[in-house]
């Protein structure tokens, strides 16, 4: 998992706009603060579909950029966001957990018409990146 720095800005009561100084042309928008995680994940996934892999710059390097300083002076905030690169290859793992928790997972997964694996992967992703 890598962490990219986003510039979050909002004009008045508009949606939140996000841009990524490391990733030219990568933008996201969210109607409210709680929607930022999902918007960021989608924007980063789409950007990396067509662009080369990029290592994120450090926060100090980002802060030193004139365009970033200007945006922050105008009211934007910096937010570090996690990114898990899309990799659809499956890998089998062995996991141990409490029996009662496993039963609850299986019941919930079944109610949502998901497999145990899909449910656990979804829960892990939501915990890691908030999306």
């Amino acid at each position: 998992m890598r962490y990219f720095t986003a510039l979050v800005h909002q004009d008045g009561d508009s949606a939140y706009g996000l841009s990524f100084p490391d990733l030219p042309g990568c933008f996201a928008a969210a109607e409210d603060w709680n929607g930022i995680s999902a918007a960021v994940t989608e924007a980063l996934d789409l950007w990396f579909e067509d662009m080369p892999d990029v290592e994120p710059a450090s926060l100090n390097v980002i802060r030193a950029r004139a365009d970033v300083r200007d945006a922050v002076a105008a009211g934007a905030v910096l937010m570090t966001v996690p990114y898990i690169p899309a990799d659809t290859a499956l890998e089998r793992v062995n996991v141990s957990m409490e029996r009662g928790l496993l039963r609850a997972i299986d019941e919930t997964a079944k109610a949502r018409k998901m497999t145990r694996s899909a449910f656990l992967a979804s829960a892990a992703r939501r915990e890691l990146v908030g999306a």
Side-chain angles (χ1 to χ4, degrees):
M1 180 165 54
R2 294 177 287 174
Y3 293 86
F4 286 91
T5 301
L7 267 170
V8 183
H9 39 90
Q10 183 185 33
D11 295 326
D13 291 332
S14 68
Y16 290 93
L18 293 95
S19 58
F20 299 85
D22 286 355
L23 310 172
C26 185
F27 299 97
E31 289 297 318
D32 58 30
W33 190 261
N34 293 329
I36 288 176
S37 293
V40 163
T41 299
E42 182 179 5
L44 291 173
D45 281 341
L46 289 171
W47 196 87
F48 280 109
E49 275 182 9
D50 298 326
M51 302 302 276
D53 199 17
V54 174
E55 281 301 313
S58 71
L59 185 55
N60 289 336
V61 168
I62 298 289
R63 282 183 180 154
R65 290 179 47 163
D67 60 331
V68 172
R69 284 195 315 268
D70 292 346
V72 170
V77 296
L78 293 172
M79 174 186 278
T80 303
V81 296
Y83 176 62
I84 300 172
D87 180 353
T88 58
L90 298 178
E91 187 167 335
R92 188 175 186 84
V93 296
N94 185 14
V95 180
S96 298
M97 66 181 67
E98 299 169 22
R99 206 175 317 161
L101 178 59
L102 185 60
R103 280 191 216 113
I105 288 169
D106 288 343
E107 288 171 13
T108 305
K110 182 178 180 182
R112 296 180 184 178
K113 299 188 182 340
M114 299 172 78
T115 64
R116 177 191 291 164
S117 294
F119 179 85
L120 290 173
S122 174
R125 182 172 298 277
R126 195 168 28 260
E127 181 66 24
L128 291 168
V129 299

